Every structure is written in C-alpha cells, then in structure tokens.
Amino acid sequence: MDACRIPGATLELTMRACRHVAAILIAASMAAVPAAWARTPLATEDRNPEAASGAQARELVRAQHYMMVSANPLATQAGDAMLRKGGSVVDAAIATQLVLNLVEPQSSGIGGGAFMVLYSAKTGKIQTVDSRETAPAAARPDRFLDADGKPLPFAQSVNNGMSVGVPGLLRGLELAHKEAGVLPWADLFQPAIDLAEQGFAVSPRLHTLLAGNKALPAQAAAAAYFYAPDGTPWPVGHVLKNPEFARTLRAVAEQGADAFYQGDIARDIVAAVHGHPKPGDLTLADLANYRAKTRDPVCGNYRGYQLCGMAPPSSGGIAVLQMLGELEQYPMATYAPGSVQAVHYFSEAGRLAFADRDFYVADPDFVSVPVRALLDPAYLRARGALIQPDRSMKVALPGDPEGKLLTLGRDNALEVPSTSHLVAVDAKGNALSMTTTIESEFGSKIFVRGFLLNNEMTDFSSSFKDPEGRLVANRVEAGKRPRSSMAPMIVLRDGKPVMLVGSPGGSAIINYVAKTIVGVIDWGLDMQAAIALPNMGSRNKETELEKGTALEALVPALEAMGHPVRITEFPSGIHGIVIDANGLQGGADPRREGLAKGG
C-alpha cells in the first residue's frame, strides 16, 4: 500500500489509489496498452494544424459593459457592432463567425462545425450547443484503411471528398439564436455580406498560409479564388472579394439555415464532394437530416472555482478538468511561471489526461463515455498522486475508473484541426465561449459557393480496432460525430462567470486552455499576460516547449528528470475575457491576429 499512498489522504482514498495502480499493472502485464503504444511513432496529430506566422505584442483591453474577442479585427468589429446595438452574445458570435469565415477561411466557416458554451444571466445556468459535423450515412469503419487493413497515410485521407463530414455550424447558430438571440437573424449576416461584396485586405497571416499550402492550389475552384492567375498567392493588402459567398449568405439570411441544408446550395455541396477525383459519399439526405444538439456541460472544481466546458463528443472539457483536478493537490502558485517545477507538473498532468482521452472519449450517442467516473475528485487525486516530484513518467497509462479498460482499443485519430475561438460578454451579463473549426488548414480544400468544406472525418480513428482486436470508441460509424479536442470554457465563482477562454490548436488546445486558467487562478496574471505565457505541456509523448521562448533554457534540467523534450512552434490562438471588480478585461493571442474590443 505504501507504493500508492497519498500523503494526508484517508484510508478510503488510499485504497482507491491502490486499486487504480493495480489496474494499470494488470493492463501492463497483459500488454493490453503499452505494447501498441510503444510502437506508435510521433503521431500526425502532434503536428501544428496551422503554420506559425509570427507574433505581435498585445495590450490588455478593458471595458465596463460588454466585450468581444476573436481572431481577426474585422470579425471582432462585426460582433462589437451587434453588442453596441443591444444584441446578445449569441448575436455577436454569429456576426463574428460569418466574418471569420470570410477573412480567416483557413480556420472555420459554414462548411464546418462548432461547440458553444453559453451562460444565461437570467437563469444562471450554462448550456452548450453541439454543431459538430457528422459522418455521412454511408460511412463505414474501414473508411481510412487500405486493402491490407492498414491506416492510409494522412495525405491520402485529408484533401478529398471522403474526408468531408456533414457541416453543422449554421444549424448550431440558428438553434442558439432561437433560444438567446435578440437582433433579427438577417441583420447578423450584413457585416459579412458587405465585406464579401466590397472586399477586404488579405492579412499577413492569410498570405503566409496561402504561400505555404501546397494542396490548396491543386483544387481548381480554390485556386481561382485564393491565388492570382499566375498561381502566386494574393499579396498582403490585396482586396479580395467573394460575391459568391455574399449570395450564399443572403440566401441563408432570408430563408434560414434551410437554405443551406436543402435546395441549390445543398446540391452544389454534394456535387462538389462527389465531383472530386477521390469522391466522397455525402448526400442530400445527410444534409437535410442534420440536427444541432443542446447538451449539458461537463463541470468540475478547481481551487474554489467552478469550470464548465463542452461534453463529449469533445474530449477538451474533460481533459482540461482532469489536468486541473490532478494538479490541485500541488502548490502550483509557488512554482513560478516558466520554472522547471511548473513545466514538470503541468506536463505530467497532461500525460495522465491524454492517456484517458485516447481510450474513453467519443460521441456519447454511440458510446458510453464514463464522464462522471473520469471527473470523480477521488479518481483525479489518485491519478495526480502518480506524479513524481523529480522524475517524468514519460508515457502515462490510462486509468480504469469503471473496470472497462481492457475492453477498449486506443484511438489513433490524426487530429489536426484548423480552428478559431471567440468569446463575448453582453451588457446584460450573458457570456459565450465558442470554438469553431473546419479541421485541417483550409479543410478539405474543396471550395464551393464561396466557402470551404471541412475534412472532419479524419478526426475519427483511422483504425476501428486496435492490434489486439478491441473496438476503438472513436471509430467511424454512420451519423456519428468525431471526437474533438476543442475546449471552450466558462469559469465561475459563486455561480457567476469570472473567466471565458478557449483556443484553436488541435489536440494542443487542451494544454493551451489549461495553461491560461492556471496563469489566471494560480499565478494571478491578467488575461493578456496569461495568454502570452509560453506554451508548454505533453500530449503523452514528448514534453513540448514553445520555440523561441525562455522555456528552451529548461531543456537540460527537464531531460535530467527523464523528460523527452521537443522544441516546437506553438501557434495557439487563445482568446479570453476575465470579469472582475473593475469590469471586463480581454486578451488576444499575440501569435495570431486577434483583437479584443468592448465598451
């Protein structure tokens, strides 16, 4: 029992820790988990979903009544305009999202999906809206396997019709607007329509990504819009117009989301997917049958705060709550930001959370996800007790809170979402945190009606069974929603929101969001300073440190503790708002082009 004793814990908690350790040892002895894991090379999902494009210092922004933060100034201005008119956070989010589709097309849009976490000042409750894409009805578990049953290379899976899932974003925005919108639906589309018709200046980041992407110009419709006739990417400042997108938005503004999911737009989407050299199986019926869903949030406690985020099919909310629950027994406030101790404990907690994530989380309409067990405080304290103060575990094994581990296979999804995040607070105290995506950079690269289609199907596990024959929870199934790492969060104190945060960044989203929360709660930083902290953490492989930051100096000390270290670009896009006694403070990630604006 001494091997699993938790200092200061009750006998009952110590016994739980022992049962947890015993489950791990059993799994190890049967080679149920680590054998396959040890053979796994650096996963594709550990690549950055979008290229880095430099950084620019950002100042903390303060406001008294309302605030909007998003990844592009034009998008933030559209949302801010709605808030100034007395609109709700949902109104602001819709206007912002539609402009993001236009000016930041590599990251999100109506051809993709989103997760929204919404606090109602009237009811004091948090609700979430799931507009995650779904698998077409014809999708089969062997979708991304070759003739020998082996996973296809990622490049052969992503930029084609087979990667396209049923888009969900507009249904989700419509559902949220019906419940919490104030301004007329059509009014929310006007900023994006005006910009699409009049044109907008190509930003430095968009130019950089166009110049670096080799697959996008290979698709004729996309090349005709994003590149000059000689094939060069449009330069910074070029005024880019998208009248086709304006026509699409006008139709949806006038007729509602049905204009997208039925009729001419739907037929063009299906034709584009089927007309690709590697066609997909999306149908008109798939589009017509799509429904967004409201779900209860997943919530947990950390140092007197309540944190609520997105439930499955996202793994983000659970993983962030697990990391914080595992860290709560350690004095993070005494470990200075950027110190060896801070990086060590934070990375070890990430290893533990990602180990569970890779086995248990999938679409809850298809798989029983043990959410309550994974977030049980005693379970998290026992998991966190596995962290040694002076030695890295290198690779953590999953826990077994319900005794089901040996029936599950490990997920090998190639998750590299190209994503965006926005947050808003309105004058009535409503709050919204929303992460939105089309998966990889520029999605499937299929361009239709002025927007890009997602490649969300590659967020499913490429294999539906592990080497020992166990089914993977996040396997492809018809109508299923792929697992995500998106982690829009709202933090509350005494039932009132005090922080909104989220980020793009593939599976690294989990570490970005957890880092920012620790920065505010444990290290007492303002929102901008917490966002700007160097990114760090582990996705249960290397300990990753942001390139070009002071963290690089920690490599010798971390390696001496057994950490396998990787220095990497970490182009997060963390956006957040803190609500304090002085009003609202907004922060935008210096690694991208975001803007916080309020009044």
Side-chain angles (χ1 to χ4, degrees):
M1 184 177 293
D2 288 341
C4 51
R5 184 176 298 279
I6 304 171
T10 64
L11 177 61
E12 178 185 1
L13 182 55
T14 301
M15 290 301 294
R16 288 194 190 192
C18 285
R19 289 195 295 270
H20 166 66
V21 172
I24 287 179
L25 294 175
I26 291 170
S29 68
M30 296 181 65
V33 176
W37 214 325
R39 296 193 298 268
T40 302
L42 180 63
T44 306
E45 72 168 320
D46 285 348
R47 300 182 311 177
N48 291 320
E50 290 185 21
S53 57
Q56 183 176 350
R58 296 281 191 274
E59 296 293 330
L60 182 72
V61 175
R62 282 200 170 272
Q64 290 299 312
H65 307 293
Y66 53 82
M67 181 167 282
M68 182 80 235
V69 191
S70 82
N72 182 279
L74 294 173
T76 294
Q77 289 162 14
D80 177 72
M82 301 305 150
L83 294 174
R84 288 179 184 275
K85 292 178 182 178
S88 70
V89 286
V90 169
D91 297 327
I94 294 171
T96 300
Q97 170 66 87
L98 296 173
V99 173
L100 284 173
N101 189 150
L102 184 66
V103 301
E104 197 196 32
Q106 70 272 12
S107 298
S108 71
I110 62 175
F115 290 133
M116 177 189 294
V117 182
L118 180 64
Y119 168 84
S120 168
K122 182 177 181 180
T123 66
K125 294 181 179 179
I126 287 183
Q127 183 183 58
T128 72
V129 178
D130 172 0
S131 56
R132 182 71 162 161
E133 302 87 336
T134 60
R140 294 170 35 183
D142 60 355
R143 190 179 191 86
F144 297 116
L145 301 180
D146 63 19
D148 297 323
K150 296 180 180 179
L152 291 168
F154 185 68
Q156 294 181 29
S157 302
V158 59
N159 298 319
N160 57 61
M162 289 294 285
S163 71
V164 180
V166 185
L169 179 64
L170 281 172
R171 283 291 187 214
L173 296 181
E174 184 178 62
L175 176 61
H177 184 260
K178 287 178 179 177
E179 295 194 4
V182 174
L183 301 176
W185 170 258
D187 290 3
L188 311 178
F189 286 69
Q190 202 58 50
I193 291 171
D194 291 344
L195 275 173
E197 291 179 336
Q198 298 166 13
F200 65 95
V202 171
S203 73
R205 180 165 178 78
L206 177 55
H207 170 75
T208 296
L209 297 183
L210 290 174
N213 197 295
K214 305 305 181 186
L216 189 64
Q219 305 215 30
Y225 174 67
F226 289 110
Y227 298 85
D230 64 358
T232 59
W234 292 120
V236 175
H238 171 80
V239 177
L240 188 58
K241 298 181 180 181
N242 193 339
E244 188 67 21
F245 188 53
R247 286 190 286 273
T248 297
L249 292 183
R250 284 190 188 280
V252 179
E254 294 168 4
Q255 304 166 39
D258 282 351
F260 180 92
Y261 289 93
Q262 302 171 30
D264 291 343
I265 297 174
R267 282 190 286 272
D268 285 351
I269 292 171
V270 171
V273 169
H274 285 260
H276 192 278
K278 188 174 181 181
D281 46 17
L282 182 71
T283 67
L284 288 172
D286 291 325
L287 287 164
N289 292 333
Y290 181 86
R291 298 291 183 271
K293 298 187 176 189
T294 57
R295 298 186 188 273
D296 292 332
V298 291
C299 297
N301 296 314
Y302 184 63
R303 307 201 194 283
Y305 294 85
Q306 185 184 36
L307 298 86
C308 292
M310 195 67 211
S314 183
S315 65
I318 292 174
V320 170
L321 292 173
Q322 283 195 311
M323 286 184 68
L324 297 174
E326 290 154 0
L327 288 174
E328 190 163 21
Q329 61 195 281
Y330 299 106
M332 293 298 292
T334 68
Y335 307 143
S339 66
V340 171
Q341 296 97 325
V343 174
H344 170 69
Y345 280 98
F346 188 86
S347 299
E348 296 299 281
R351 287 180 162 88
L352 292 165
F354 273 83
D356 281 355
R357 166 189 177 271
D358 285 348
F359 280 83
Y360 293 114
V361 182
D363 185 341
D365 295 334
F366 288 75
V367 175
S368 177
V369 183
V371 175
R372 187 182 299 273
L374 290 170
L375 296 179
D376 181 86
Y379 173 72
L380 294 180
R381 187 169 175 84
R383 291 286 279 168
L386 298 174
I387 299 174
Q388 299 298 310
D390 56 358
R391 195 73 188 163
S392 173
M393 64 186 77
K394 293 186 172 65
V395 176
L397 300 178
D400 196 11
E402 291 189 339
K404 297 179 179 178
L405 177 62
L406 299 186
T407 68
L408 299 171
R410 181 178 181 246
D411 193 337
N412 64 351
L414 306 178
E415 183 187 351
V416 287
S418 194
T419 302
S420 199
H421 185 77
L422 57 93
V423 288
V425 174
D426 65 28
K428 293 184 177 180
N430 301 303
L432 177 148
S433 183
M434 184 174 95
T435 313
T436 170
T437 183
I438 56 170
E439 230 273 270
S440 291
E441 183 180 290
F442 298 102
S444 66
K445 320 300 185 291
I446 297 175
F447 190 73
V448 56
R449 288 276 188 154
F451 61 92
L452 288 158
L453 295 174
N454 70 86
N455 65 294
E456 214 66 61
M457 293 297 292
T458 56
D459 265 4
F460 285 111
S461 177
S462 57
S463 298
F464 62 94
K465 291 183 179 180
D466 73 355
E468 283 74 33
R470 292 179 294 265
L471 287 174
V472 175
N474 186 39
R475 62 189 180 275
V476 178
E477 295 181 85
K480 192 176 185 179
R481 299 174 190 227
R483 187 196 67 191
S484 170
S485 295
M486 294 188 289
M489 302 288 292
I490 295 181
V491 181
L492 305 101
R493 191 74 181 250
D494 300 324
K496 302 286 186 180
V498 295
M499 188 192 321
L500 321 174
V501 67
S503 179
S507 56
I509 288 172
I510 292 161
N511 286 328
Y512 297 155
V513 172
K515 173 208 78 171
T516 308
I517 293 171
V518 168
V520 172
I521 293 178
D522 287 302
W523 295 328
L525 300 175
D526 65 46
M527 177 51 74
Q528 187 60 58
I531 289 170
L533 284 172
N535 288 320
M536 60 179 175
S538 175
R539 289 175 271 183
N540 206 19
K541 299 182 183 70
E542 299 94 343
T543 296
E544 298 172 301
L545 307 176
E546 186 172 5
K547 184 177 181 180
T549 70
L551 295 183
E552 291 191 36
L554 304 182
V555 172
L558 290 169
E559 289 182 339
M561 298 170 70
H563 285 263
V565 178
R566 180 160 70 114
I567 306 297
T568 183
E569 298 278 8
F570 257 153
S572 57
I574 309 162
H575 297 128
I577 296 172
V578 162
I579 306 166
D580 60 19
N582 297 315
L584 307 170
Q585 50 171 266
D589 202 315
R591 302 161 185 88
R592 300 205 182 188
E593 296 173 333
L595 175 69
K597 186 175 175 64

